Amino acid sequence: MMKDTKIPYKIYLNENELPQAWYNLRADMKNKPAPLLNPQTHEPMKAEELSGVFCDELIRQELDDETAYFEIPEEIRDFYKMYRPAPLVRAYCLEEKLGTPAKIYYKFEGNNTSGSHKLNSAIAQAYYAKQQGLTGVTTETGAGQWGTALSMACSYFGLDCKVYMVKCSYEQKPFRREVMRTYGASVTPSPSMETEVGKKILAEHPGTTGSLGCAISEAVEKAVNTEGYRYVLGSVLNQVMLHQSIIGLETKAALDKYGVKPDIIIGCAGGGSNLGGLIGPFMGEKLRGEADYRIIAVEPASCPSFTRGVYAYDYCDTGMVCPLSKMYTLGSGFIPSANHAGGLRYHGMNSTLSELYHQGMMEAVSVKQTDVFEAAEYFARIEGILPAPESSHAIRVAIDEALKCKESGEEKTIVFGLTGTGYFDMLSYEKFHDGKMSDYIPTDEELEASFAKLPKME
Amino acid sequence: MMKDTKIPYKIYLNENELPQAWYNLRADMKNKPAPLLNPQTHEPMKAEELSGVFCDELIRQELDDETAYFEIPEEIRDFYKMYRPAPLVRAYCLEEKLGTPAKIYYKFEGNNTSGSHKLNSAIAQAYYAKQQGLTGVTTETGAGQWGTALSMACSYFGLDCKVYMVKCSYEQKPFRREVMRTYGASVTPSPSMETEVGKKILAEHPGTTGSLGCAISEAVEKAVNTEGYRYVLGSVLNQVMLHQSIIGLETKAALDKYGVKPDIIIGCAGGGSNLGGLIGPFMGEKLRGEADYRIIAVEPASCPSFTRGVYAYDYCDTGMVCPLSKMYTLGSGFIPSANHAGGLRYHGMNSTLSELYHQGMMEAVSVKQTDVFEAAEYFARIEGILPAPESSHAIRVAIDEALKCKESGEEKTIVFGLTGTGYFDMLSYEKFHDGKMSDYIPTDEELEASFAKLPKME
């Protein structure tokens, strides 16, 4: 095995090298992302209009596109020290197996009990809720990673945590639910009879197994109507991307320590927060003209917001209670086939990433799920980490790029985000092993029908 | 929060500080553990008698009680680098929550896909099998951690892997099975119709859900009767304890780095290999009279080999095909109630640890499973790691000792082994949450009946 003698398999920063501040990518953008709009008036949302839904400090972070750095409070840094800095791994074994001259690194965010990067923002959001003197928070969860992370964070700060879990996940992933209960959260399958929007959806679609957009609507309604509660969200929002910048900051610090400059940076894209977090400081350099990188967002072919969506104002949720956001979207009514195994099933995309993609600052590709699971299993066997289906979208494209290097002989440096582990996704792996997994790709007609329902803007 | 400013939350050794050799505790014992005996002749087993069952180099390690250090081959060290050095964690949050002056550390072995320390020996055993030019290995697995670890190791070296999984686990843990399949292993529920011993047990006990002792017999029979195959075992044997010494060597190196000397060292005890691995170098110092430590083995009240067993020669398996070992045992026919959730259900104990316990060099306590799960949940909420039920036995006693320090005001340093994660044990957690978990403790009569069946020795 050929090795750069100086670079270890795993680069761990020291605890005192943990970033002291989150990086707000928007500060370095000349053309800022479009503002959130009030769904009734179509006017930009003001902080006071959001304060019934979100925590005050989080609203400030959400609306601020000028401040480049937000100091990470000490209490949050103390919690981060329980599982961070996360390792940046040099994939020596994968490189050797592929026979590629490319140098491959991945930032591994799965070494914590929630199993993913979601904890980075969950602990921040729980902290600000606690600071504000709130009793609890509500949220939705699909695959369950966000709900688990938030349960852990709330347990740490002694906050109530009420999770609306998309019904099909609730039924297929009883163990996910049980981890949340271990952390003291209450978990309700969505749609439920606990909210008006849930009742309405159940009346219109009896027997529905739910969707993320619908669970969001329920969680927001519950928060707004319960004294001392606010709603928190695990992706899509700019505040979440801000917290997730810790991924990119650590990655950059680890690479800088060894004088490594990446050529290609790859992340999977659902709502966009892990991708935005990973690429943040690199994109910042690119925006400031200090460096150039190829940045690739990877999304499922079954839910292709970037590659087949439109850039337009749309609702963030099915119940249309949330602000309008300008983003790449498939339409808020779009629900990917239940056949789709991974998360990454959100109809839209973070507004900052959408604007950057629109400006041509990054690329996007979509991949089929059987190709994704093939890459997942290959990676598991070689690198010894069982990846989450979501993360495996990035693995797929990292392997593809490394194979291109093999053909061209180029020694490119590839960095990708390994956002989490697949321990709770074994049903999907089983389907794959048994040859029962198929690929769903929405037709143009399906998408056109969905686009037709986008809100009409002046 | 009061903190020793110099000691981080997680102590990671550098890659170049990874131990270069395993430590063989027996070399420092004046009174050696009793030898393995041939079950027919009751004469000490010779290497050639074992060579149909085990790999040659592993037999050499098994029988050698003089060599203190065995060099770790480079290929194994390369694999170790994928997930080692494992962190030694200072449990600041737990200390604060308990309000104890005790300083608590735990060595966390769960940060790899197999979820436990088992990988440390699996990769070594697979390596020696490959070196010997074998085609594959057979083994048994109970809770599934060992089977998963061995699957990963075999996949890495391109060996076939045939796992006999105790039937009740096979049925209750389909996801464990699926992880093994991801790594290309074949998994058979035991008892099966694939072996003579399996057929015999099924004929005598139709509908049995199996036991570890029975799965061992099947795996051994299969290995002996299949060209190019050998049998490998995940605990109990001295070779396994040798490989697991990496846990203790890293722990000691990390503590030494910060000048910390433990007062109490605690590990859970099933077959004994993780415990023996953790305490190895500390016990070595104790044997050589260089230091003194309180060393505590923690076992389940439902399978109390140390605390209620007898020190005698016994069969290692139900089918009585394995050598006789002198050990603390409950009798090879003893099967703990299915109600018992954690692993640690082996009737015997590693012979070296048995001899050390017999010499009074260590203590043992047994704990009830509801107390164990209470500690597990408490720990998960405070330290952010969802522990395996097995590991939680050690957590329980670490907390108990820390609370004694709180009462006495003593600032003792406690180190315990956190051997793995509980992702695949959520059914047991669910039982606990739902108040459906009860405690089983064998009666004296049950144990006496089991002891009566011990082999008669001259």
Side-chain angles (χ1 to χ4, degrees), chain A residues 72-100:
Chain A
I72 307 174
E74 196 188 347
E75 290 89 336
I76 298 177
R77 275 189 285 130
D78 277 347
F79 185 87
Y80 278 165
K81 286 175 192 166
M82 283 168 54
Y83 70 102
R84 307 199 69 85
L88 180 71
V89 185
R90 173 72 184 268
Y92 285 116
C93 299
L94 182 61
E95 292 170 19
E96 192 195 16
K97 194 81 173 183
L98 292 171
T100 178

PDB file of all heavy atoms in Angstrom, chain A residues 72-100:
ATOM      1  N   ILE A  72     -19.488  30.468  19.049  1.00  0.00           N
ATOM      2  CA  ILE A  72     -20.185  29.296  19.585  1.00  0.00           C
ATOM      3  C   ILE A  72     -20.153  29.387  21.111  1.00  0.00           C
ATOM      4  O   ILE A  72     -19.069  29.404  21.694  1.00  0.00           O
ATOM      5  CB  ILE A  72     -19.504  27.984  19.126  1.00  0.00           C
ATOM      6  CG1 ILE A  72     -19.362  27.952  17.602  1.00  0.00           C
ATOM      7  CG2 ILE A  72     -20.285  26.779  19.633  1.00  0.00           C
ATOM      8  CD1 ILE A  72     -18.579  26.748  17.075  1.00  0.00           C
ATOM      9  N   PRO A  73     -21.326  29.464  21.757  1.00  0.00           N
ATOM     10  CA  PRO A  73     -21.335  29.580  23.231  1.00  0.00           C
ATOM     11  C   PRO A  73     -20.585  28.414  23.893  1.00  0.00           C
ATOM     12  O   PRO A  73     -20.556  27.304  23.366  1.00  0.00           O
ATOM     13  CB  PRO A  73     -22.823  29.533  23.570  1.00  0.00           C
ATOM     14  CG  PRO A  73     -23.515  29.989  22.338  1.00  0.00           C
ATOM     15  CD  PRO A  73     -22.673  29.500  21.197  1.00  0.00           C
ATOM     16  N   GLU A  74     -20.000  28.691  25.047  1.00  0.00           N
ATOM     17  CA  GLU A  74     -19.154  27.704  25.719  1.00  0.00           C
ATOM     18  C   GLU A  74     -19.915  26.416  26.033  1.00  0.00           C
ATOM     19  O   GLU A  74     -19.368  25.318  25.932  1.00  0.00           O
ATOM     20  CB  GLU A  74     -18.577  28.303  27.003  1.00  0.00           C
ATOM     21  CG  GLU A  74     -17.402  27.480  27.509  1.00  0.00           C
ATOM     22  CD  GLU A  74     -16.923  27.929  28.888  1.00  0.00           C
ATOM     23  OE1 GLU A  74     -17.316  29.010  29.343  1.00  0.00           O
ATOM     24  OE2 GLU A  74     -16.153  27.155  29.485  1.00  0.00           O
ATOM     25  N   GLU A  75     -21.191  26.545  26.423  1.00  0.00           N
ATOM     26  CA  GLU A  75     -21.984  25.351  26.766  1.00  0.00           C
ATOM     27  C   GLU A  75     -22.112  24.426  25.555  1.00  0.00           C
ATOM     28  O   GLU A  75     -22.131  23.211  25.699  1.00  0.00           O
ATOM     29  CB  GLU A  75     -23.387  25.747  27.254  1.00  0.00           C
ATOM     30  CG  GLU A  75     -23.404  26.416  28.617  1.00  0.00           C
ATOM     31  CD  GLU A  75     -23.246  27.929  28.535  1.00  0.00           C
ATOM     32  OE1 GLU A  75     -22.682  28.437  27.528  1.00  0.00           O
ATOM     33  OE2 GLU A  75     -23.678  28.614  29.469  1.00  0.00           O
ATOM     34  N   ILE A  76     -22.242  25.026  24.392  1.00  0.00           N
ATOM     35  CA  ILE A  76     -22.354  24.208  23.179  1.00  0.00           C
ATOM     36  C   ILE A  76     -21.002  23.591  22.849  1.00  0.00           C
ATOM     37  O   ILE A  76     -20.912  22.412  22.493  1.00  0.00           O
ATOM     38  CB  ILE A  76     -22.868  25.058  21.985  1.00  0.00           C
ATOM     39  CG1 ILE A  76     -24.276  25.585  22.296  1.00  0.00           C
ATOM     40  CG2 ILE A  76     -22.865  24.247  20.696  1.00  0.00           C
ATOM     41  CD1 ILE A  76     -24.858  26.494  21.228  1.00  0.00           C
ATOM     42  N   ARG A  77     -19.946  24.363  23.039  1.00  0.00           N
ATOM     43  CA  ARG A  77     -18.613  23.800  22.778  1.00  0.00           C
ATOM     44  C   ARG A  77     -18.298  22.645  23.727  1.00  0.00           C
ATOM     45  O   ARG A  77     -17.689  21.658  23.343  1.00  0.00           O
ATOM     46  CB  ARG A  77     -17.546  24.894  22.857  1.00  0.00           C
ATOM     47  CG  ARG A  77     -17.412  25.643  21.521  1.00  0.00           C
ATOM     48  CD  ARG A  77     -16.216  26.573  21.488  1.00  0.00           C
ATOM     49  NE  ARG A  77     -16.481  27.757  22.282  1.00  0.00           N
ATOM     50  CZ  ARG A  77     -15.671  28.236  23.217  1.00  0.00           C
ATOM     51  NH1 ARG A  77     -14.530  27.623  23.491  1.00  0.00           N
ATOM     52  NH2 ARG A  77     -16.002  29.323  23.887  1.00  0.00           N
ATOM     53  N   ASP A  78     -18.771  22.770  24.975  1.00  0.00           N
ATOM     54  CA  ASP A  78     -18.578  21.657  25.923  1.00  0.00           C
ATOM     55  C   ASP A  78     -19.278  20.396  25.428  1.00  0.00           C
ATOM     56  O   ASP A  78     -18.737  19.302  25.512  1.00  0.00           O
ATOM     57  CB  ASP A  78     -19.117  22.034  27.313  1.00  0.00           C
ATOM     58  CG  ASP A  78     -18.103  22.850  28.098  1.00  0.00           C
ATOM     59  OD1 ASP A  78     -16.929  22.900  27.672  1.00  0.00           O
ATOM     60  OD2 ASP A  78     -18.486  23.441  29.119  1.00  0.00           O
ATOM     61  N   PHE A  79     -20.493  20.568  24.918  1.00  0.00           N
ATOM     62  CA  PHE A  79     -21.213  19.406  24.395  1.00  0.00           C
ATOM     63  C   PHE A  79     -20.499  18.861  23.156  1.00  0.00           C
ATOM     64  O   PHE A  79     -20.336  17.646  23.006  1.00  0.00           O
ATOM     65  CB  PHE A  79     -22.654  19.794  24.056  1.00  0.00           C
ATOM     66  CG  PHE A  79     -23.513  18.621  23.626  1.00  0.00           C
ATOM     67  CD1 PHE A  79     -24.180  17.857  24.566  1.00  0.00           C
ATOM     68  CD2 PHE A  79     -23.634  18.285  22.281  1.00  0.00           C
ATOM     69  CE1 PHE A  79     -24.960  16.767  24.167  1.00  0.00           C
ATOM     70  CE2 PHE A  79     -24.414  17.205  21.876  1.00  0.00           C
ATOM     71  CZ  PHE A  79     -25.085  16.449  22.829  1.00  0.00           C
ATOM     72  N   TYR A  80     -20.077  19.763  22.274  1.00  0.00           N
ATOM     73  CA  TYR A  80     -19.338  19.327  21.077  1.00  0.00           C
ATOM     74  C   TYR A  80     -18.155  18.435  21.459  1.00  0.00           C
ATOM     75  O   TYR A  80     -17.817  17.485  20.756  1.00  0.00           O
ATOM     76  CB  TYR A  80     -18.827  20.535  20.286  1.00  0.00           C
ATOM     77  CG  TYR A  80     -19.823  21.190  19.346  1.00  0.00           C
ATOM     78  CD1 TYR A  80     -19.590  22.455  18.815  1.00  0.00           C
ATOM     79  CD2 TYR A  80     -21.000  20.547  18.969  1.00  0.00           C
ATOM     80  CE1 TYR A  80     -20.480  23.069  17.948  1.00  0.00           C
ATOM     81  CE2 TYR A  80     -21.900  21.154  18.103  1.00  0.00           C
ATOM     82  CZ  TYR A  80     -21.641  22.414  17.595  1.00  0.00           C
ATOM     83  OH  TYR A  80     -22.521  23.015  16.725  1.00  0.00           O
ATOM     84  N   LYS A  81     -17.526  18.756  22.592  1.00  0.00           N
ATOM     85  CA  LYS A  81     -16.334  17.995  22.996  1.00  0.00           C
ATOM     86  C   LYS A  81     -16.649  16.548  23.332  1.00  0.00           C
ATOM     87  O   LYS A  81     -15.747  15.718  23.389  1.00  0.00           O
ATOM     88  CB  LYS A  81     -15.661  18.683  24.186  1.00  0.00           C
ATOM     89  CG  LYS A  81     -14.933  19.950  23.803  1.00  0.00           C
ATOM     90  CD  LYS A  81     -14.373  20.668  25.016  1.00  0.00           C
ATOM     91  CE  LYS A  81     -13.916  22.080  24.630  1.00  0.00           C
ATOM     92  NZ  LYS A  81     -13.676  22.903  25.834  1.00  0.00           N
ATOM     93  N   MET A  82     -17.937  16.253  23.551  1.00  0.00           N
ATOM     94  CA  MET A  82     -18.302  14.863  23.804  1.00  0.00           C
ATOM     95  C   MET A  82     -18.156  14.007  22.547  1.00  0.00           C
ATOM     96  O   MET A  82     -18.010  12.792  22.633  1.00  0.00           O
ATOM     97  CB  MET A  82     -19.727  14.766  24.348  1.00  0.00           C
ATOM     98  CG  MET A  82     -19.829  15.141  25.824  1.00  0.00           C
ATOM     99  SD  MET A  82     -21.534  15.367  26.417  1.00  0.00           S
ATOM    100  CE  MET A  82     -22.296  13.830  25.943  1.00  0.00           C
ATOM    101  N   TYR A  83     -18.221  14.615  21.364  1.00  0.00           N
ATOM    102  CA  TYR A  83     -18.124  13.801  20.139  1.00  0.00           C
ATOM    103  C   TYR A  83     -17.328  14.471  19.016  1.00  0.00           C
ATOM    104  O   TYR A  83     -17.180  13.897  17.940  1.00  0.00           O
ATOM    105  CB  TYR A  83     -19.529  13.407  19.652  1.00  0.00           C
ATOM    106  CG  TYR A  83     -20.345  14.555  19.086  1.00  0.00           C
ATOM    107  CD1 TYR A  83     -20.487  14.708  17.711  1.00  0.00           C
ATOM    108  CD2 TYR A  83     -20.950  15.469  19.916  1.00  0.00           C
ATOM    109  CE1 TYR A  83     -21.231  15.752  17.178  1.00  0.00           C
ATOM    110  CE2 TYR A  83     -21.683  16.529  19.403  1.00  0.00           C
ATOM    111  CZ  TYR A  83     -21.829  16.658  18.037  1.00  0.00           C
ATOM    112  OH  TYR A  83     -22.545  17.698  17.526  1.00  0.00           O
ATOM    113  N   ARG A  84     -16.853  15.655  19.261  1.00  0.00           N
ATOM    114  CA  ARG A  84     -16.059  16.368  18.286  1.00  0.00           C
ATOM    115  C   ARG A  84     -14.687  16.657  18.879  1.00  0.00           C
ATOM    116  O   ARG A  84     -14.537  16.571  20.089  1.00  0.00           O
ATOM    117  CB  ARG A  84     -16.727  17.708  17.877  1.00  0.00           C
ATOM    118  CG  ARG A  84     -18.153  17.584  17.420  1.00  0.00           C
ATOM    119  CD  ARG A  84     -18.580  18.804  16.612  1.00  0.00           C
ATOM    120  NE  ARG A  84     -17.881  18.809  15.331  1.00  0.00           N
ATOM    121  CZ  ARG A  84     -18.284  18.137  14.237  1.00  0.00           C
ATOM    122  NH1 ARG A  84     -19.401  17.465  14.269  1.00  0.00           N
ATOM    123  NH2 ARG A  84     -17.586  18.155  13.143  1.00  0.00           N
ATOM    124  N   PRO A  85     -13.684  17.105  18.108  1.00  0.00           N
ATOM    125  CA  PRO A  85     -13.680  17.151  16.648  1.00  0.00           C
ATOM    126  C   PRO A  85     -13.912  15.768  16.045  1.00  0.00           C
ATOM    127  O   PRO A  85     -13.458  14.767  16.596  1.00  0.00           O
ATOM    128  CB  PRO A  85     -12.283  17.659  16.313  1.00  0.00           C
ATOM    129  CG  PRO A  85     -11.803  18.365  17.541  1.00  0.00           C
ATOM    130  CD  PRO A  85     -12.443  17.656  18.670  1.00  0.00           C
ATOM    131  N   ALA A  86     -14.639  15.738  14.929  1.00  0.00           N
ATOM    132  CA  ALA A  86     -14.891  14.489  14.212  1.00  0.00           C
ATOM    133  C   ALA A  86     -13.689  14.190  13.318  1.00  0.00           C
ATOM    134  O   ALA A  86     -13.018  15.113  12.858  1.00  0.00           O
ATOM    135  CB  ALA A  86     -16.160  14.624  13.381  1.00  0.00           C
ATOM    136  N   PRO A  87     -13.424  12.907  13.095  1.00  0.00           N
ATOM    137  CA  PRO A  87     -12.231  12.579  12.302  1.00  0.00           C
ATOM    138  C   PRO A  87     -12.375  12.915  10.817  1.00  0.00           C
ATOM    139  O   PRO A  87     -13.449  12.777  10.244  1.00  0.00           O
ATOM    140  CB  PRO A  87     -12.098  11.061  12.480  1.00  0.00           C
ATOM    141  CG  PRO A  87     -13.476  10.588  12.800  1.00  0.00           C
ATOM    142  CD  PRO A  87     -14.129  11.705  13.563  1.00  0.00           C
ATOM    143  N   LEU A  88     -11.281  13.372  10.227  1.00  0.00           N
ATOM    144  CA  LEU A  88     -11.176  13.422   8.769  1.00  0.00           C
ATOM    145  C   LEU A  88     -10.348  12.207   8.391  1.00  0.00           C
ATOM    146  O   LEU A  88      -9.206  12.062   8.824  1.00  0.00           O
ATOM    147  CB  LEU A  88     -10.491  14.707   8.300  1.00  0.00           C
ATOM    148  CG  LEU A  88     -10.361  14.813   6.776  1.00  0.00           C
ATOM    149  CD1 LEU A  88     -11.707  15.064   6.115  1.00  0.00           C
ATOM    150  CD2 LEU A  88      -9.381  15.929   6.385  1.00  0.00           C
ATOM    151  N   VAL A  89     -10.939  11.319   7.612  1.00  0.00           N
ATOM    152  CA  VAL A  89     -10.303  10.038   7.334  1.00  0.00           C
ATOM    153  C   VAL A  89      -9.677  10.033   5.943  1.00  0.00           C
ATOM    154  O   VAL A  89     -10.305  10.460   4.969  1.00  0.00           O
ATOM    155  CB  VAL A  89     -11.328   8.880   7.433  1.00  0.00           C
ATOM    156  CG1 VAL A  89     -10.631   7.539   7.270  1.00  0.00           C
ATOM    157  CG2 VAL A  89     -12.086   8.939   8.750  1.00  0.00           C
ATOM    158  N   ARG A  90      -8.436   9.589   5.868  1.00  0.00           N
ATOM    159  CA  ARG A  90      -7.822   9.362   4.567  1.00  0.00           C
ATOM    160  C   ARG A  90      -8.179   7.938   4.147  1.00  0.00           C
ATOM    161  O   ARG A  90      -7.835   6.973   4.846  1.00  0.00           O
ATOM    162  CB  ARG A  90      -6.300   9.528   4.674  1.00  0.00           C
ATOM    163  CG  ARG A  90      -5.535   9.151   3.416  1.00  0.00           C
ATOM    164  CD  ARG A  90      -5.722  10.168   2.282  1.00  0.00           C
ATOM    165  NE  ARG A  90      -5.067   9.721   1.080  1.00  0.00           N
ATOM    166  CZ  ARG A  90      -3.815  10.018   0.731  1.00  0.00           C
ATOM    167  NH1 ARG A  90      -3.086  10.813   1.505  1.00  0.00           N
ATOM    168  NH2 ARG A  90      -3.299   9.554  -0.389  1.00  0.00           N
ATOM    169  N   ALA A  91      -8.877   7.811   3.008  1.00  0.00           N
ATOM    170  CA  ALA A  91      -9.405   6.515   2.596  1.00  0.00           C
ATOM    171  C   ALA A  91      -8.346   5.702   1.855  1.00  0.00           C
ATOM    172  O   ALA A  91      -8.521   5.328   0.695  1.00  0.00           O
ATOM    173  CB  ALA A  91     -10.646   6.722   1.726  1.00  0.00           C
ATOM    174  N   TYR A  92      -7.250   5.399   2.554  1.00  0.00           N
ATOM    175  CA  TYR A  92      -6.155   4.632   1.933  1.00  0.00           C
ATOM    176  C   TYR A  92      -6.643   3.315   1.335  1.00  0.00           C
ATOM    177  O   TYR A  92      -6.250   2.917   0.250  1.00  0.00           O
ATOM    178  CB  TYR A  92      -5.070   4.328   2.966  1.00  0.00           C
ATOM    179  CG  TYR A  92      -4.190   5.486   3.332  1.00  0.00           C
ATOM    180  CD1 TYR A  92      -4.177   5.997   4.634  1.00  0.00           C
ATOM    181  CD2 TYR A  92      -3.342   6.069   2.390  1.00  0.00           C
ATOM    182  CE1 TYR A  92      -3.341   7.061   4.984  1.00  0.00           C
ATOM    183  CE2 TYR A  92      -2.505   7.137   2.734  1.00  0.00           C
ATOM    184  CZ  TYR A  92      -2.517   7.621   4.031  1.00  0.00           C
ATOM    185  OH  TYR A  92      -1.691   8.663   4.366  1.00  0.00           O
ATOM    186  N   CYS A  93      -7.497   2.606   2.092  1.00  0.00           N
ATOM    187  CA  CYS A  93      -7.951   1.284   1.637  1.00  0.00           C
ATOM    188  C   CYS A  93      -8.793   1.414   0.369  1.00  0.00           C
ATOM    189  O   CYS A  93      -8.647   0.624  -0.564  1.00  0.00           O
ATOM    190  CB  CYS A  93      -8.733   0.585   2.741  1.00  0.00           C
ATOM    191  SG  CYS A  93      -7.749   0.291   4.229  1.00  0.00           S
ATOM    192  N   LEU A  94      -9.661   2.400   0.346  1.00  0.00           N
ATOM    193  CA  LEU A  94     -10.510   2.620  -0.826  1.00  0.00           C
ATOM    194  C   LEU A  94      -9.666   2.997  -2.047  1.00  0.00           C
ATOM    195  O   LEU A  94      -9.866   2.469  -3.146  1.00  0.00           O
ATOM    196  CB  LEU A  94     -11.530   3.719  -0.516  1.00  0.00           C
ATOM    197  CG  LEU A  94     -12.546   4.059  -1.605  1.00  0.00           C
ATOM    198  CD1 LEU A  94     -13.419   2.856  -1.942  1.00  0.00           C
ATOM    199  CD2 LEU A  94     -13.429   5.239  -1.180  1.00  0.00           C
ATOM    200  N   GLU A  95      -8.717   3.881  -1.838  1.00  0.00           N
ATOM    201  CA  GLU A  95      -7.832   4.275  -2.945  1.00  0.00           C
ATOM    202  C   GLU A  95      -7.127   3.053  -3.544  1.00  0.00           C
ATOM    203  O   GLU A  95      -7.067   2.881  -4.757  1.00  0.00           O
ATOM    204  CB  GLU A  95      -6.746   5.249  -2.451  1.00  0.00           C
ATOM    205  CG  GLU A  95      -7.264   6.607  -2.041  1.00  0.00           C
ATOM    206  CD  GLU A  95      -6.187   7.439  -1.334  1.00  0.00           C
ATOM    207  OE1 GLU A  95      -4.988   7.120  -1.482  1.00  0.00           O
ATOM    208  OE2 GLU A  95      -6.551   8.400  -0.631  1.00  0.00           O
ATOM    209  N   GLU A  96      -6.611   2.209  -2.644  1.00  0.00           N
ATOM    210  CA  GLU A  96      -5.852   1.043  -3.095  1.00  0.00           C
ATOM    211  C   GLU A  96      -6.749   0.084  -3.877  1.00  0.00           C
ATOM    212  O   GLU A  96      -6.406  -0.407  -4.942  1.00  0.00           O
ATOM    213  CB  GLU A  96      -5.245   0.322  -1.893  1.00  0.00           C
ATOM    214  CG  GLU A  96      -4.216  -0.712  -2.313  1.00  0.00           C
ATOM    215  CD  GLU A  96      -3.867  -1.672  -1.203  1.00  0.00           C
ATOM    216  OE1 GLU A  96      -4.609  -1.745  -0.206  1.00  0.00           O
ATOM    217  OE2 GLU A  96      -2.852  -2.381  -1.349  1.00  0.00           O
ATOM    218  N   LYS A  97      -7.947  -0.148  -3.328  1.00  0.00           N
ATOM    219  CA  LYS A  97      -8.884  -1.068  -3.963  1.00  0.00           C
ATOM    220  C   LYS A  97      -9.315  -0.552  -5.343  1.00  0.00           C
ATOM    221  O   LYS A  97      -9.448  -1.334  -6.284  1.00  0.00           O
ATOM    222  CB  LYS A  97     -10.104  -1.250  -3.058  1.00  0.00           C
ATOM    223  CG  LYS A  97     -10.983  -2.406  -3.433  1.00  0.00           C
ATOM    224  CD  LYS A  97     -10.427  -3.720  -2.909  1.00  0.00           C
ATOM    225  CE  LYS A  97     -11.390  -4.857  -3.133  1.00  0.00           C
ATOM    226  NZ  LYS A  97     -10.875  -6.113  -2.555  1.00  0.00           N
ATOM    227  N   LEU A  98      -9.526   0.751  -5.438  1.00  0.00           N
ATOM    228  CA  LEU A  98      -9.943   1.332  -6.722  1.00  0.00           C
ATOM    229  C   LEU A  98      -8.765   1.420  -7.693  1.00  0.00           C
ATOM    230  O   LEU A  98      -8.963   1.559  -8.898  1.00  0.00           O
ATOM    231  CB  LEU A  98     -10.534   2.740  -6.522  1.00  0.00           C
ATOM    232  CG  LEU A  98     -11.876   2.846  -5.787  1.00  0.00           C
ATOM    233  CD1 LEU A  98     -12.197   4.302  -5.485  1.00  0.00           C
ATOM    234  CD2 LEU A  98     -12.992   2.220  -6.625  1.00  0.00           C
ATOM    235  N   GLY A  99      -7.556   1.381  -7.145  1.00  0.00           N
ATOM    236  CA  GLY A  99      -6.368   1.538  -7.987  1.00  0.00           C
ATOM    237  C   GLY A  99      -6.308   2.915  -8.616  1.00  0.00           C
ATOM    238  O   GLY A  99      -5.903   3.086  -9.765  1.00  0.00           O
ATOM    239  N   THR A 100      -6.719   3.904  -7.851  1.00  0.00           N
ATOM    240  CA  THR A 100      -6.767   5.268  -8.384  1.00  0.00           C
ATOM    241  C   THR A 100      -5.602   6.097  -7.856  1.00  0.00           C
ATOM    242  O   THR A 100      -5.180   5.909  -6.714  1.00  0.00           O
ATOM    243  CB  THR A 100      -8.094   5.952  -7.981  1.00  0.00           C
ATOM    244  OG1 THR A 100      -8.078   7.294  -8.479  1.00  0.00           O
ATOM    245  CG2 THR A 100      -8.266   6.009  -6.468  1.00  0.00           C
TER     246      THR A 100
END
